[in-house]
Amino acid sequence: MSEKALATRLNEAVALEHTLAMHCFLYETTVTGLWRVSLAPLFKSLGNEAREHAKLFGQKVVALGELPACAVGPVAPAQTADEMVQMVLTLEHRAISLYATALEAVDEGDVAMRNMLEDHIDSEQRHIDEITLLATGNERSAQSAVRAAS
């Protein structure tokens, strides 16, 4: 893959990480109720990590001779904690897909870039696993509450 093409793919990652960071900021500040205690710190942590990912990929884009993306995609407000968790989960899935696609296109000899992408894939997969457990727990709790109310 050419350096320009790699920079383009990495810039997609930068923009997605910016978008994830802004979602996390919005959700960290707006989550309410009992979920605030657990989700606000999670969203803060995920947002901070997304900003770091954007910075690292942005620096690589600059090293490849291009300018890093400063765009942020649409930020979707959410009405419930479940919607917030689902949106973040969707963005994390997009990120891992984007990194996997970029990894497939990296030259075998570019060990540093391969390692960087593999590390980010690992990080995103850990987020997906954790957020999936949250989402699954919410479904079970909601189903139990419905059964108990019946």
Side-chain angles (χ1 to χ4, degrees):
M1 168 184 283
S2 73
E3 287 187 351
K4 177 117 175 123
L6 180 57
T8 298
R9 291 233 174 124
L10 293 179
N11 256 336
E12 291 172 12
V14 171
L16 181 60
E17 292 291 357
H18 286 317
T19 302
L20 177 58
M22 291 309 299
H23 274 87
C24 287
F25 167 77
L26 177 63
Y27 299 158
E28 175 195 353
T29 58
T30 61
V31 66
T32 59
L34 294 175
W35 283 109
R36 184 168 181 79
V37 174
S38 60
L39 290 181
L42 173 66
F43 292 141
K44 181 178 183 175
S45 174
L46 291 172
N48 287 341
E49 191 165 328
R51 282 186 289 282
E52 282 301 311
H53 288 179
K55 180 179 169 184
L56 287 172
F57 283 120
Q59 289 170 338
K60 185 64 177 175
V61 167
V62 171
L64 293 170
E66 301 293 326
L67 290 174
C70 292
V72 176
V75 178
Q79 300 302 312
T80 68
D82 286 337
E83 289 175 8
M84 293 174 185
V85 169
Q86 288 301 322
M87 178 53 73
V88 170
L89 186 58
T90 297
L91 291 169
E92 293 285 2
H93 276 287
R94 272 195 223 153
I96 203 168
S97 177
L98 180 59
Y99 297 152
T101 301
L103 181 60
E104 291 172 3
V106 173
D107 293 332
E108 198 62 37
D110 192 350
V111 176
M113 188 73 246
R114 295 185 74 73
N115 286 341
M116 183 180 185
L117 285 165
E118 287 171 352
D119 286 348
H120 282 79
I121 289 169
D122 179 62
S123 175
E124 299 302 339
Q125 186 60 58
R126 282 185 279 117
H127 294 161
I128 287 169
D129 292 346
E130 186 65 28
I131 295 166
T132 298
L133 289 173
L134 274 173
T136 302
N138 288 345
E139 274 178 24
R140 286 185 191 145
S141 296
Q143 290 170 355
S144 296
V146 168
R147 280 192 299 269
S150 299

